[in-house]
Amino acid sequence: LVGDFMIDDTNYADCLTLYNFNHVDKIKGKESFSYIFNDNINYIRSLYNRGKIRNITYDTIQKTILCGSIYLGYDLFVCPHCGNESIVPHKCHSKLCTSCGTKEAKLRATHISSIALDAKHRHIVFTIPKHLRSYFIKDRSLLNLLFIAAETLLPVFLMMQSTEKSKCPYSYKNDRNKIVFGSVLTLHTFGRDLKWNLHIHCLVCEEAFDTKKNKMKNFSFISYKKLRKTWMYQVLDLLSKQKLKHFRYLKQRFYDELVNGFYVYAKKKEKDNDDNNVDDCVNYITRYTSRPPMAENRIIKYEDDKKMIRWWYNRHEDEKYIEVYESVENFINNLILHCPDENFKRSDTMVSIQTGIKSISETERKKKDLKNKLDHLKYRTHMIESLQKNTLLCSCGNLMKCEYT
């Protein structure tokens, strides 16, 4: 028994013998999250009973284990010619399932790319110091403040740059709502080593529309010094209004020691943006909005008899290859730490979008491209591209039809 689900611990897809499941992926091996969770379900249950993990995390783990089985429901397909039947089990659509998360990330990236302008974009990464991260673990509702800070920062910062030569240094405050720009924000709560490392990826269009002058304006130049200081001010100002313990002392310490502000990466690409650059950037920053913090192919070996696991990552600072050999309990603790709260949009899961100005012809073209890309992500076409065969094609050569869901 896993939660409210009845499940055979030795074979959680024991329904495979009931119908024709030739189109269903083979049961994953030991180096998969579903197997690891199922093999350590007693430890996970003990954490839940002691109040060490949240309800949403426990529910997500259960769904990951049951993904691809009829316990989550199924669709029945019947051949109209010979009557042959085939079942397609429902997927879990959880945040810790790699197969479900990959498709969700593709769908989200497709929608975002469809509203992005065909112009140069800048990839910016906003970070916060280690001493602040513990506040966000204790109260995850504070994560939304990082989006508010970034959304507030961008128009203010762009207007500050455009009014640098103005006689009045505060004129940007009156004009900050007159600049319309496009941006995409996504939140990552993890680093490559699976530790709690909050940072926001921002994809901002370098072309903005000046409603006051009724023309497009270029913002390719960015002052790193001002950007870092403005980002630090916005974050600390929002957190200071939350009445956090010992925060007043910490805020003053940041202003005294971090004279250059919080670290922000906003390096301009040496290579000019090509037509696929925006799509590539969107795919990069949204890839973990619906997927686990790491890919399953980074798991080298899971020793279920010793309850030890070996996995790897490339260190961000120098891309050095690092292998980690640790207990599976520690691995699970680090992995489930990044499970988002229910209905928390980190792009749903957290994407904040401000659309730019487009021509009618460009909008129509984007709609057609979106439709074509979404058609390729439908179940039948997606399975054909993944498995190189039509999974709903009966052995008699006719296409099966859905009879029950």
Side-chain angles (χ1 to χ4, degrees):
L1 179 64
V2 180
D4 296 328
F5 299 105
M6 292 300 298
I7 181 171
D8 182 355
D9 286 338
T10 59
N11 185 3
Y12 55 82
D14 54 354
C15 54
L16 291 179
T17 58
L18 299 179
Y19 286 90
N20 172 22
F21 274 82
N22 293 330
H23 58 283
V24 181
D25 296 340
K26 294 181 180 180
I27 301 301
K28 296 181 179 180
K30 293 182 179 181
E31 287 71 39
S32 65
F33 296 139
S34 57
Y35 183 91
I36 293 172
F37 288 150
N38 188 56
D39 190 52
N40 296 274
I41 192 61
N42 291 329
Y43 169 69
I44 295 171
R45 188 183 295 119
S46 67
L47 290 178
Y48 179 72
N49 292 334
R50 288 183 285 136
K52 298 295 184 180
I53 59 177
R54 296 162 291 149
N55 291 337
I56 183 62
T57 303
Y58 190 54
D59 183 58
T60 299
I61 293 173
Q62 292 181 111
K63 289 180 179 179
T64 303
I65 295 174
L66 298 175
C67 184
S69 71
I70 60 173
Y71 294 107
L72 297 180
Y74 62 89
D75 295 331
L76 176 63
F77 288 83
V78 180
C79 177
H81 180 71
C82 66
N84 189 26
E85 296 180 341
S86 180
I87 275 185
V88 177
H90 290 172
K91 306 292 281 185
C92 65
H93 302 288
S94 69
K95 306 300 182 184
L96 293 178
C97 179
T98 53
S99 60
C100 294
T102 300
K103 184 176 180 180
E104 290 293 328
K106 288 181 179 179
L107 286 171
R108 180 167 292 107
T110 299
H111 281 285
I112 294 174
S113 297
S114 68
I115 64 174
L117 287 173
D118 290 333
K120 290 185 178 181
H121 286 67
R122 182 73 67 90
H123 181 203
I124 304 176
V125 182
F126 298 101
T127 68
I128 61 173
K130 293 181 179 179
H131 299 89
L132 281 181
R133 297 171 190 171
S134 59
Y135 289 114
F136 296 90
I137 295 181
K138 297 176 182 177
D139 184 2
R140 291 182 181 244
S141 64
L142 296 177
L143 291 173
N144 192 48
L145 296 181
L146 297 179
F147 279 93
I148 297 175
E151 290 173 353
T152 306
L153 159 72
L154 290 173
V156 171
F157 178 74
L158 294 178
M159 285 308 306
M160 285 175 64
Q161 289 205 149
S162 63
T163 58
E164 274 186 336
K165 299 180 181 180
S166 175
K167 294 181 180 180
C168 178
Y170 301 102
S171 61
Y172 71 89
K173 293 186 177 181
N174 299 324
D175 296 336
R176 59 185 174 184
N177 294 326
K178 296 180 180 180
I179 295 293
V180 181
F181 66 97
S183 66
V184 180
L185 304 174
T186 65
L187 174 68
H188 289 181
T189 62
F190 45 84
R192 296 180 182 179
D193 56 359
L194 292 184
K195 293 181 180 178
W196 186 257
N197 182 8
L198 297 173
H199 56 283
I200 281 188
H201 289 271
C202 174
L203 185 64
V204 60
C205 183
E206 294 184 355
E207 300 288 333
F209 184 72
D210 190 339
T211 58
K212 188 176 181 180
K213 298 182 179 180
N214 196 30
K215 67 176 184 179
M216 298 298 290
K217 196 170 184 178
N218 184 275
F219 288 95
S220 58
F221 173 76
I222 293 180
S223 172
Y224 294 125
K225 185 177 180 180
K226 287 187 177 180
L227 183 63
R228 295 178 62 169
K229 287 186 175 182
T230 308
W231 168 244
M232 180 174 72
Y233 168 78
Q234 294 290 347
V235 172
L236 295 181
D237 181 60
L238 288 171
L239 289 176
S240 63
K241 300 175 182 178
Q242 305 302 313
K243 298 180 180 179
L244 303 175
K245 190 175 182 181
H246 305 307
F247 181 76
R248 186 175 180 181
Y249 163 77
L250 195 60
K251 178 182 178 181
Q252 187 59 48
R253 179 183 170 187
F254 283 139
Y255 279 121
D256 293 338
E257 298 180 1
L258 302 180
V259 293
N260 293 323
F262 293 164
Y263 177 75
V264 176
Y265 175 87
K267 187 177 180 180
K268 189 174 182 178
K269 295 286 185 181
E270 295 181 1
K271 182 181 178 180
D272 290 338
N273 294 51
D274 54 26
D275 293 336
N276 297 322
N277 179 266
V278 176
D279 293 341
D280 293 340
C281 288
V282 169
N283 290 334
Y284 176 77
I285 68 176
T286 61
R287 60 179 176 168
Y288 289 117
T289 55
S290 296
R291 294 162 62 183
M294 64 173 286
E296 287 182 341
N297 58 17
R298 285 170 52 189
I299 302 177
I300 300 174
K301 187 176 182 181
Y302 170 51
E303 302 172 0
D304 51 356
D305 53 340
K306 300 179 181 179
K307 298 298 181 182
M308 298 293 291
I309 189 170
R310 186 184 298 276
W311 58 282
W312 66 272
Y313 69 93
N314 289 327
R315 192 164 56 192
H316 191 274
E317 294 79 7
D318 52 9
E319 292 297 325
K320 182 180 179 181
Y321 177 85
I322 304 293
E323 277 193 13
V324 180
Y325 185 66
E326 62 182 353
S327 67
V328 69
E329 294 181 355
N330 189 57
F331 175 78
I332 291 175
N333 291 340
N334 290 332
L335 185 65
I336 65 178
L337 176 65
H338 306 288
C339 183
D341 284 341
E342 188 175 8
N343 298 324
F344 181 67
K345 307 301 179 183
R346 177 171 83 188
S347 162
D348 84 48
T349 347
M350 269 161 139
V351 167
S352 172
I353 305 172
Q354 294 174 324
T355 55
I357 306 299
K358 297 181 184 178
S359 64
I360 296 177
S361 59
E362 182 183 358
T363 303
E364 292 299 323
R365 182 179 63 80
K366 289 280 187 177
K367 287 182 178 180
K368 291 181 180 179
D369 292 343
L370 175 62
K371 184 179 183 303
N372 293 333
K373 290 180 180 179
L374 292 179
D375 288 341
H376 282 283
L377 291 175
K378 290 182 178 179
Y379 174 77
R380 188 167 68 89
T381 53
H382 184 65
M383 295 300 286
I384 291 175
E385 292 182 357
S386 301
L387 304 179
Q388 305 302 317
K389 66 178 181 178
N390 190 344
T391 58
L392 298 181
L393 189 65
C394 183
S395 56
C396 69
N398 290 280
L399 194 64
M400 294 185 175
K401 295 183 179 180
C402 183
E403 294 291 334
Y404 174 80
T405 183

